[in-house]
Amino acid sequence: MLRVVVFGILSVLLLTACGPSPEALRRQQMLEAQRAEAARLEAERKARERDQLISSRMKEAHQTWKAAQYTGDDSLSALFRQSGFDYGKVYYFNIPVQAQEYNYAEGKQSFLVTDLRNLNDSQIYSALFPDVSAAYQPGQKARSVLELILKREEYTNNLEQQVERPRGQRWVAAVEDFKSVNTLHPLQIDWRWEPGLFEDISWIVNPERAYEFTRSRSMFLQVGLRFCPLDRCRTEYEYRQHPVDAIRAEVISMVLGNSQSGEILAEFVRDKP
């Protein structure tokens, strides 16, 4: 019995001796508090940088909206010739938007971006947007891509209208599918992208408010793009007998509004560098 008692006392003393001392515990707690504080400060720093980036990009987008100064043919030609353009610069384009019939069942006004084309898992862009989940092989399908038509080869018809030339050249920007993947930060909560083919963006609004803006048929989308300068970011192909010259780009900002009233209804911005 005495041996058992002695053994128990020795075991307690041994465990106490092997455990952390009060000073070590305090030091460990202090280090954990310092790590937590450092993580908090780093999160605050990143949040400030993100807010500053969003503010800077939207300021430039608003200035472009007010001035209505968009990329002209000379600048566009320089982009596609890969000469005389700056990768860091954002190029702005004015893209028409068509209002669809008001959807009373869902309480939304949807719009179709007329020069936007959906390409799901397109092999055409497998070299520009390879699937990161698999080793790239020629002919492999790409992630879903959207095309923004920046310019069409046109001519004046007998009615003095500008129309696309048969078999005419198209110049497009290929971007990641922001309709399905959350790459653009919305600044208004009542707007959402639609993944389908027959509507691109919807406004959750009552019909009276929607009609104020859709009746003039003056809605358009201002898109700010940053282009990739590398040779591997370019491709050429043919679509419905139209030669297509494409460059991979990133959408930096989008502003949707009414060109007559000048009112902005929706804003989206890339919140990453």
Side-chain angles (χ1 to χ4, degrees), residues 58-245:
M58 292 315 302
K59 180 180 179 181
E60 183 173 297
H62 286 181
Q63 289 173 344
T64 303
W65 175 276
K66 291 178 181 178
Q69 294 179 343
Y70 298 106
T71 302
D73 287 347
D74 291 343
S75 297
L76 189 65
S77 298
L79 276 168
F80 283 88
R81 287 198 311 268
Q82 203 173 13
S83 62
F85 84 95
D86 180 7
Y87 167 69
K89 180 180 177 181
V90 178
Y91 292 81
Y92 292 92
F93 299 88
N94 180 350
I95 297 178
V97 172
Q98 290 182 353
Q100 309 296 85
E101 289 188 10
Y102 185 83
N103 188 326
Y104 287 92
E106 298 185 31
K108 68 179 184 179
Q109 173 64 60
S110 296
F111 299 88
L112 186 69
V113 182
T114 56
D115 288 338
L116 183 68
R117 191 164 79 93
N118 298 260
L119 291 91
N120 296 323
D121 303 325
S122 173
Q123 289 187 355
I124 294 170
Y125 286 109
S126 58
L128 273 64
F129 298 88
D131 187 351
V132 294
S133 64
Y136 170 64
Q137 298 292 333
Q140 173 186 312
K141 291 183 178 180
R143 299 191 302 276
S144 293
V145 175
L146 298 176
E147 270 189 357
L148 287 162
I149 301 175
L150 307 179
K151 183 183 176 182
R152 291 181 171 92
E153 192 175 2
E154 297 179 331
Y155 74 102
T156 304
N157 65 11
N158 295 332
L159 301 176
E160 298 299 319
Q161 298 170 328
Q162 286 293 112
V163 296
E164 186 171 16
R165 186 179 299 280
R167 298 183 175 85
Q169 180 81 32
R170 290 180 179 178
W171 294 267
V172 308
V175 300
E176 287 186 336
D177 186 0
F178 53 79
K179 291 172 58 178
S180 301
V181 181
N182 186 23
T183 56
L184 294 175
H185 176 71
L187 300 187
Q188 288 81 18
I189 62 173
D190 50 355
W191 287 81
R192 71 185 186 206
W193 292 105
E194 302 284 4
L197 297 176
F198 303 106
E199 54 185 9
D200 293 314
I201 189 170
S202 292
W203 185 17
I204 310 304
V205 66
N206 62 61
E208 293 77 18
R209 172 71 170 160
Y211 183 66
E212 292 179 26
F213 295 92
T214 58
R215 63 183 177 182
S216 65
R217 303 191 180 192
S218 302
M219 306 291 291
F220 77 94
L221 184 67
Q222 173 185 290
V223 182
L225 297 172
R226 183 173 63 191
F227 291 87
C228 175
L230 305 177
D231 287 337
R232 61 181 176 83
C233 293
R234 297 163 179 267
T235 190
E236 295 179 358
Y237 70 97
E238 188 169 299
Y239 173 71
R240 294 183 178 178
Q241 297 184 334
H242 288 284
V244 177
D245 196 345

Side-chain angles (χ1 to χ4, degrees), residues 54 57-58 183-185 187 252-253 267-271:
I54 289 175
R57 286 176 172 174
M58 292 315 302
T183 56
L184 294 175
H185 176 71
L187 300 187
I252 300 301
S253 66
E267 299 162 292
F268 302 86
V269 61
R270 179 181 172 88
D271 58 356

